[in-house]
Amino acid sequence: MAFTIRQLQFFIAVAEQGTVSGAAQNLSISQSSVTEAIKELESDLGVELFERHPRGLNITHKGHQFLRHATKILADVSDARRSFSGEQAVAGGRLQLGVTSLVAGYVLSDLLARYRRAYPGVEVSAIEDNGDYLEHLLIGGKLDIAVMVTSNLRDRTALQSEILEVSAYRLWLPLGHPLAGADIIGIGDIAGEPLIMLTVDEIEENTGKLLTAIGAKPHVAFRTRSVEAVRSLVATGAGVALLPDLVYRPWSLEGDRIESRDISGSLPVVQVGMVWRRGSGLPQAARDFVGLAQSQRTVRQRP
């Protein structure tokens, strides 16, 4: 029996939520429907997509690999529907994009691939830089749109934004770490742990604020701008990390396992979205990009 689009939607929802109950609530369906769909999908593929534990589900290495295929399949289905919906791809034009480091490989890459397939005649140029500089370029008319972290947007009077994804901070741990088996983990529990600090966007600032709030000085073992470096360092036991779930992957490049756990209390979230200059008439190529991004968000969030 071949898997269905609906099963893929349920699988992606569970992978994003980490629990069947969370996925069911997000999809507005019963938990039993989600559970049955995942079992049928695993049976069809002949692999375990999730590891079951009392607190929810952890996606397996095979599940992580299949997640990329599932997301692409749903995006392709959405593209196919758009091609018959009366929307015509622009014959030409130019799109100037900006992106921050944190989201370049986790949000923009898939979105840009879909855009190029849908509008092959558009010349696309993109620049990666920090949020402040991208805001400057947007206000100055040098960029049409930026895909960036919007939770720390500086000039909201001059810029308009639309959220694409909201991601909570979680604790990354090496396999077998004592905290991995704790029922509840608080900020105080990690105050003495060596931290692997990601220094892009607002990550270092937010992590520092969290620990300062409990009177603890961060014990930073390593600072890096590379998410892959964070993964490798955490997986090999060099320290722990507090990072948005957006960039979590359960395996390092070397194939070592990384655990991810919730932190109790009030933690900040990272909002990723599109930003453009308020009041500006977006060119057709930019309006098409916005529409495609909105449709991708719909595919990810709704059955």
Side-chain angles (χ1 to χ4, degrees):
M1 180 182 68
F3 56 74
T4 66
I5 296 298
R6 194 169 181 81
Q7 287 172 343
L8 297 185
Q9 292 169 333
F10 291 4
F11 163 66
I12 291 174
V14 173
E16 291 178 342
Q17 297 295 323
T19 63
V20 170
S21 59
Q25 182 176 4
N26 190 49
L27 296 167
S28 299
I29 58 174
S30 68
Q31 293 187 36
S32 60
S33 296
V34 176
T35 300
E36 186 63 27
I38 297 300
K39 286 182 179 178
E40 291 176 354
L41 186 57
E42 289 180 323
S43 176
D44 178 56
L45 295 172
V47 298
E48 279 195 355
L49 298 173
F50 297 101
E51 295 173 349
R52 279 75 174 172
H53 59 83
R55 291 178 298 275
L57 302 172
N58 282 335
I59 192 167
T60 63
H61 185 40
K62 293 290 186 183
H64 175 59
Q65 291 178 320
F66 185 67
L67 179 60
R68 295 184 180 181
H69 292 293
T71 302
K72 184 179 184 301
I73 290 169
L74 291 189
D76 288 343
V77 169
S78 178
D79 288 344
R81 286 174 174 161
R82 284 169 60 86
S83 68
F84 291 98
S85 67
E87 299 178 22
Q88 299 296 319
V90 295
R94 187 179 183 190
L95 177 64
Q96 296 173 299
L97 291 173
V99 63
T100 49
S101 300
L102 186 68
V103 301
Y106 300 93
V107 177
L108 183 64
S109 56
D110 289 341
L111 185 55
L112 192 54
R114 286 191 61 209
Y115 183 81
R116 289 184 185 278
R117 291 197 300 270
Y119 304 98
V122 176
E123 178 187 349
V124 180
S125 61
I127 179 175
E128 178 184 320
D129 216 304
N130 63 63
D132 288 345
Y133 187 59
L134 293 184
E135 288 190 40
H136 166 74
L137 294 180
L138 287 166
I139 294 171
K142 304 294 186 181
L143 292 177
D144 298 317
I145 296 174
V147 180
M148 58 189 289
V149 174
T150 61
S151 38
N152 61 344
L153 203 61
R154 265 61 172 180
D155 197 341
R156 296 183 182 273
T157 59
L159 297 170
Q160 184 173 341
S161 64
E162 179 169 336
I163 296 173
L164 293 175
E165 189 162 341
V166 177
S167 184
Y169 278 80
R170 301 191 82 200
L171 179 64
W172 292 15
L173 301 159
L175 189 66
H177 192 282
L179 288 176
D183 292 331
I184 300 176
I185 303 174
I187 289 294
D189 295 323
I190 64 173
E193 296 283 341
L195 281 176
I196 310 301
M197 186 74 77
L198 186 65
T199 59
V200 299
D201 289 311
E202 62 193 51
I203 304 302
E204 185 169 12
E205 178 184 354
N206 279 346
T207 303
K209 285 180 179 178
L210 286 171
L211 294 172
T212 300
I214 62 169
K217 184 179 180 181
H219 173 204
V220 180
F222 199 93
R223 283 186 169 87
T224 177
R225 293 183 57 85
S226 167
V227 178
E228 293 301 337
V230 174
R231 270 195 266 276
S232 294
L233 288 163
V234 170
T236 54
V240 302
L242 272 173
L243 288 175
D245 206 39
L246 168 73
V247 298
Y248 173 70
R249 302 292 183 268
W251 306 92
S252 70
L253 288 176
E254 298 79 15
D256 297 314
R257 177 79 189 194
I258 302 161
E259 300 289 339
S260 175
R261 295 289 183 269
D262 288 326
I263 305 293
S264 63
S266 179
L267 270 70
V269 296
V270 168
Q271 296 174 341
V272 175
M274 296 177 291
V275 182
W276 59 92
R277 187 173 61 177
R278 189 178 296 276
S280 65
L282 288 175
Q284 184 62 48
R287 292 199 299 271
D288 290 332
F289 182 86
V290 171
L292 188 142
Q294 291 170 332
S295 71
Q296 176 159 312
R297 181 185 59 189
T298 300
V299 166
R300 287 171 63 87
Q301 292 183 352
R302 296 183 180 89

